[in-house]
Amino acid sequence: MLYDRLDGLREQASRRLAEELRNPGGTLQARSQRDGAVRMYDEQVEQFSAVENGLCFGRLDTDDDARHYIGRIGIFDTSGGYDPLLIDWRAPAARAFYLATAANPQGVRRRRHLRTRHRKVVGLNDEVLDLAAASPTAHEEVTGEAALLAALGAGRTGRMRDIVETIQAEQDQIIRAELPGVLVVQGGPGTGKTAVALHRAAYLLYTHRRELSTRGVLLVGPNATFLRYISQVLPALAETGVLLRTQADLFPGVSARRTESAEVAALKGREVMVDVLAAAVRDRQWVPDEPVEIEQPQREILVLDPATIRVARDRVRRSGRPHNLARALFDVEIVHALATQVAERIGADPLGGENLLDEADVAEIRRELREDPEVRATLDQLWPLLTPQHLLTDLYADPDRIATAAPMLTEVDRALLHREPGGWTPADVPLLDEAAELLGEDDRAAAARRERLRALQREYAEGVLEIARGSRSIDVEDEADGGEILGVTDLLDADRLLERQEEADRLTTAQRAAADRAWAFGHVIVDEAQELSSMAWRLLMRRCPGRSMTIVGDVAQTGALAGTASWADALEPYVAQRWRLAELTVSYRTPAEIMSVAAEVLAGIDPTLRPPRSVRATGVPPVDRAVPSRRLTAEVVDAAARAAAALTDGRLGIIVPAARVDELGAALTSALPEAAVGADPDLESRVVVLTVAQAKGLEFDSVLVVDPQGITGESARGRNDLYVALTRATQRLTVLRPTT
């Protein structure tokens, strides 16, 4: 019945859309109204088409005998009364679907979970919320257990699904938390942190549309593989305005794909790099040891002594302006000193009186000096205009510059910073951003170019209107009522026509934000936030000056050497104690049998940490097998082949030490052609070979962990990495331990 009514509305919208598109003529006002109608009907048709993708997933039967259908988007019957056909899962009216229990039914008599495949209902589960049958622990049970277990038991596809059908009460509280402030979501493996973060983004955009649609939402993930894994969740919830980025892509114009050692990345992530970069900038404000000579045509050589340059430099530094913006002040100081020299030479009174040049003469000398190529070259040498890329490239490539900028570092650390030019690493991105803050951007030239372009566009618009003005008849009267027909030139002038063109060419909020380093987002969501370094936190805080953030992670899973060990340490330099913590305590992904194995590793990381409580058991114990080192590759291939064959549906993840990726990856792809391996593997392959860093945030039906001792030995936080590796499986876990 619901689908019949939705089909009727879709056909109605399609018919109206076709009618509007067949009517291209009319007055300017009529065309504007038609364009608005076309957009509205087109959006309606697109929404109704979502029916084919399981739009409706639930129903609430209330105590007053009303029935409310719950779905991924809200749809209203506009044919009469604007009655809700489908309630958006984010609407307040839908909240009882997630929170109602037998102990607190919230006016709900029965909750129905619908499982669909396209238009077909393939399963349903009814929960009768009868207070008389409530148990003392009723509020602790999962909501929609049958639907939840069906979702957990379904095979993985290589793409994350939304969880609107199975959101649990503790997740709902976080998803619908207030917008302002910093909310930290701490949760162990499988607790749904990522799903909660994505659904929170959709909820905030729904609830605070006006504010966030103009300022945008930024979601930062740990790597490109992870972003591809989650890329379909928000579009499935009818939200496409969230900018998804990794740290490597947060500096416009830079794609940081170069690799480096964990030790170098950790050094670059330390807050001491703020002082290193500031010193590197100061080092480029050069005071030579010897006087600088400037040749002048038809004049004697001008000389700048070090003392004059030092006085000018120190005076400009006291202005507090960023390096590039302070360059204009430095130019004034140096040109003034040079002009004084010239004036003293050519304006000196032979009789020893006052200088014969007046202020106008000196001003002309200053103008000539500012335009002189030799003077400009000297200024560029003493106080060069720099880009962040130039500053860091020059710093890394020159051990002497590193030594000058980083005396606070050890000799070993300074050696780690030295490298030849050739691309950027993810750890460089926060440093580039910090350098941009220190340097500043002199955008006067860019502003002048924009003004010239706008003047040309306005001239073109005036030409268009002039043509329109000449093509219309004067004083044309409507025979029916004697009224005058208005033309385009009666309703538009050149500036308004130009504004309309700019509106038509306008980029989306996400597109504009992606291109603007200084963009201030309305909300920032960070997943796997425990991996962020101190320098990365500084970058993100600049992107969100309003400090409206959702931070998602698990400090027990921190793998990066410069990562976060404490949320308080990471956040309190920016927000003091003005942040709040929400914890997810139930693991939906990881079965109890696997969690018990992972719990032993967690105890070795920190005995005070407690693993999340698994919501289910599969009855399949993990396999932990020792194999001879000489046969490790053959055993891995054999175990992978058997695990893949046992999967009628779903995905197998093979997690190996980074040092063994090439060796084992080659053997596995040779034996299993469907296997994917590489820096950014295809997650839709049935078999995927990954390192722990690549597996962050992902899940597989079956997981094969190879050489756990090798994983723990690769990093000072190797136990954390092993904890991550052991908790990626939704069904089965196999561990292969090489022995001598």
Side-chain angles (χ1 to χ4, degrees):
M1 182 63 178
L2 172 65
Y3 288 120
D4 291 341
R5 296 183 69 184
L6 290 175
D7 275 344
L9 289 175
R10 174 165 55 181
E11 291 172 5
Q12 186 182 86
S14 298
R15 185 170 59 254
R16 290 175 177 173
L17 175 60
E19 290 172 357
E20 294 293 343
L21 291 174
R22 283 197 299 268
N23 182 28
T27 66
L28 183 66
Q29 182 178 7
R31 291 199 300 272
S32 178
Q33 291 174 344
R34 183 209 66 207
D35 291 344
V38 166
R39 285 193 296 271
M40 181 183 71
Y41 295 139
D42 193 32
E43 289 172 1
Q44 287 182 348
V45 171
E46 184 177 351
Q47 282 188 337
F48 297 146
S49 297
V51 171
E52 307 300 335
N53 297 313
L55 183 61
C56 177
F57 57 80
R59 192 183 85 188
L60 291 176
D61 296 351
T62 62
D63 291 341
D64 57 2
D65 293 327
R67 288 182 176 179
H68 303 292
Y69 287 93
I70 313 299
R72 284 174 170 77
I73 60 174
I75 297 180
F76 296 86
D77 186 350
T78 56
S79 61
Y82 211 67
D83 295 326
L85 292 180
L86 199 62
I87 297 175
D88 192 300
W89 67 275
R90 297 166 288 189
R95 198 168 190 194
F97 186 79
Y98 302 110
L99 298 184
T101 65
N104 181 19
Q106 302 192 19
V108 176
R109 180 164 43 84
R110 180 172 63 176
R111 171 172 46 218
R112 170 167 290 182
H113 290 265
L114 301 170
R115 299 192 298 280
T116 62
R117 183 176 295 114
H118 301 301
R119 284 175 170 250
K120 184 178 180 181
V121 176
V122 297
L124 60 85
N125 170 243
D126 281 347
E127 295 175 276
V128 179
L129 305 180
D130 184 355
L131 186 60
S135 67
T137 60
H139 65 287
E140 297 177 358
E141 302 304 318
V142 296
T143 299
E145 182 176 1
L148 176 63
L149 294 179
L152 295 174
R156 307 300 100 179
T157 65
R159 289 288 185 270
M160 187 178 185
R161 305 182 181 98
D162 66 70
I163 61 166
V164 289
E165 302 174 36
T166 58
I167 293 172
Q168 300 301 302
E170 70 170 4
Q171 297 173 328
D172 184 81
Q173 296 285 351
I174 296 170
I175 290 170
R176 298 175 192 264
E178 294 181 355
L179 173 65
V182 176
L183 172 66
V184 175
V185 182
Q186 163 74 35
T191 54
K193 299 183 299 296
T194 298
V196 165
L198 293 168
H199 289 69
R200 177 160 170 76
Y203 171 78
L204 292 176
L205 284 166
Y206 173 86
T207 308
H208 304 277
R209 181 77 62 187
R210 179 174 298 178
E211 178 181 356
L212 295 182
S213 63
T214 56
R215 296 173 60 194
V217 174
L218 170 67
L219 192 151
V220 181
N223 53 57
T225 303
F226 174 84
L227 291 188
R228 282 197 297 109
Y229 175 64
I230 68 172
S231 62
Q232 299 304 311
V233 175
L234 287 168
L237 301 175
E239 295 296 350
T240 57
V242 177
L243 180 64
L244 274 61
R245 284 290 185 270
T246 66
Q247 176 180 306
D249 301 309
L250 286 177
F251 193 89
V254 168
S255 181
R257 297 294 180 265
R258 184 171 177 170
T259 59
E260 62 189 349
S261 71
E263 291 75 19
V264 175
L267 171 60
K268 292 178 179 179
R270 288 163 49 190
E271 198 158 358
V272 69
M273 292 304 297
V274 175
D275 297 328
V276 172
L277 293 174
V281 172
R282 290 194 299 272
D283 183 46
R284 305 305 294 270
Q285 298 163 1
W286 182 50
V287 176
D289 296 329
E290 302 294 332
V292 176
E293 295 184 349
I294 305 173
E295 294 186 6
Q296 288 282 287
Q298 302 176 350
R299 288 180 184 162
E300 295 182 21
I301 293 175
L302 299 178
V303 178
L304 279 172
D305 62 84
T308 299
I309 298 171
R310 183 175 294 105
V311 168
R313 181 199 65 183
D314 293 347
R315 185 175 294 154
V316 172
R317 282 180 176 177
R318 286 195 294 271
S319 73
R321 293 189 182 186
H323 173 88
N324 287 340
L325 300 184
R327 163 65 186 265
L329 299 180
F330 184 76
D331 289 359
V332 169
E333 294 287 336
I334 296 299
V335 168
H336 175 75
L338 293 173
T340 300
Q341 281 187 44
V342 174
E344 288 175 351
R345 290 176 184 176
I346 67 176
D349 185 349
L351 301 178
E354 293 184 0
N355 195 294
L356 300 176
L357 301 180
D358 59 19
E359 181 55 36
D361 296 326
V362 177
E364 179 63 20
I365 293 173
R366 285 196 293 265
R367 185 191 64 78
E368 291 177 358
L369 289 171
R370 280 195 299 269
E371 296 175 357
D372 184 87
E374 292 296 326
V375 173
R376 301 301 307 173
T378 300
L379 291 171
D380 288 340
Q381 185 181 24
L382 298 176
W383 195 293
L385 290 174
L386 299 167
T387 66
Q389 292 92 323
H390 284 147
L391 179 71
L392 258 68
T393 296
D394 293 347
L395 176 66
Y396 290 156
D398 189 338
D400 291 336
R401 288 195 188 278
I402 295 174
T404 301
M408 71 290 290
L409 297 182
T410 66
E411 186 175 345
V412 172
D413 284 345
R414 290 196 292 271
L416 288 175
L417 283 181
H418 176 57
R419 77 169 191 213
E420 295 303 318
W424 302 103
T425 71
D428 288 326
V429 170
L431 304 187
L432 289 168
D433 199 73
E434 191 75 33
E437 291 291 309
L438 294 168
L439 294 172
E441 181 181 3
D442 187 351
D443 61 354
R444 289 175 296 177
R449 287 195 299 271
R450 288 193 298 269
E451 284 301 317
R452 288 195 297 271
L453 177 60
R454 184 175 175 83
L456 291 173
Q457 291 172 331
R458 190 180 190 283
E459 182 180 346
Y460 177 78
E462 288 175 342
V464 170
L465 291 177
E466 187 62 33
I467 294 172
R469 200 176 289 118
S471 65
R472 63 174 293 224
S473 300
I474 301 176
D475 294 331
V476 177
E477 295 185 355
D478 191 316
E479 296 180 358
D481 56 13
E484 186 177 12
I485 298 177
L486 297 178
V488 65
T489 56
D490 298 306
L491 300 175
L492 283 177
D493 59 17
D495 287 328
R496 180 57 186 150
L497 180 60
L498 185 55
E499 287 175 9
R500 288 176 64 87
Q501 182 60 39
E502 289 173 346
E503 290 172 2
D505 295 339
R506 186 172 296 161
L507 299 174
T508 66
T509 298
Q511 289 170 328
R512 287 184 288 129
D516 186 353
R517 189 196 69 84
W519 188 273
F521 287 92
H523 195 77
V524 170
I525 297 174
V526 188
D527 203 349
E528 300 292 342
Q530 74 276 359
E531 302 300 327
L532 295 183
S533 68
S534 295
M535 295 302 295
W537 281 112
R538 288 175 63 88
L539 180 155
L540 288 178
M541 291 298 170
R542 284 193 287 269
R543 295 294 189 275
C544 191
R547 302 294 190 264
S548 178
M549 308 177 80
T550 301
I551 307 301
V552 180
D554 179 12
V555 291
Q557 297 185 59
T558 303
L561 297 182
T564 299
S566 161
W567 298 122
D569 291 346
L571 297 172
E572 289 183 2
Y574 307 100
V575 297
Q577 281 78 42
R578 298 186 304 277
W579 60 280
R580 56 198 194 275
L581 176 67
E583 294 192 68
L584 293 169
T585 60
V586 178
S587 178
Y588 303 98
R589 175 183 68 220
T590 311
E593 295 88 349
I594 296 176
M595 189 58 74
S596 66
V597 174
E600 297 177 9
V601 177
L602 181 62
I605 297 171
D606 185 345
T608 66
L609 297 176
R610 293 290 177 265
R613 175 174 59 88
S614 296
V615 78
R616 66 194 173 106
T618 61
V620 181
V623 175
D624 192 325
R625 188 156 55 91
V627 299
S629 295
R630 68 181 185 280
R631 286 194 43 80
L632 179 63
T633 299
E635 291 287 350
V636 169
V637 170
D638 182 62
R642 284 187 278 108
L647 282 175
T648 56
D649 189 15
R651 300 293 183 271
L652 167 65
I654 304 173
I655 303 177
V656 304
R660 290 185 179 269
V661 167
D662 292 340
E663 167 203 350
L664 295 176
L668 286 162
T669 52
S670 176
L672 302 170
E674 71 268 36
V677 63
D680 188 12
D682 181 4
L683 296 180
E684 296 187 23
S685 299
R686 290 187 67 247
V687 180
V688 184
V689 183
L690 315 96
T691 65
V692 175
Q694 293 168 332
K696 289 269 185 181
L698 308 183
E699 62 183 17
F700 301 90
D701 300 87
S702 183
V703 168
L704 175 61
V705 176
V706 179
D707 189 6
Q709 188 172 357
I711 291 174
T712 58
E714 285 187 322
S715 165
R717 287 181 166 162
R719 284 182 177 272
N720 302 60
D721 288 341
L722 181 58
Y723 182 58
V724 172
L726 294 173
T727 53
R728 299 303 96 196
T730 66
Q731 303 294 335
R732 291 176 174 80
L733 172 67
T734 300
V735 178
L736 295 183
R737 301 177 183 271
T739 60
T740 55

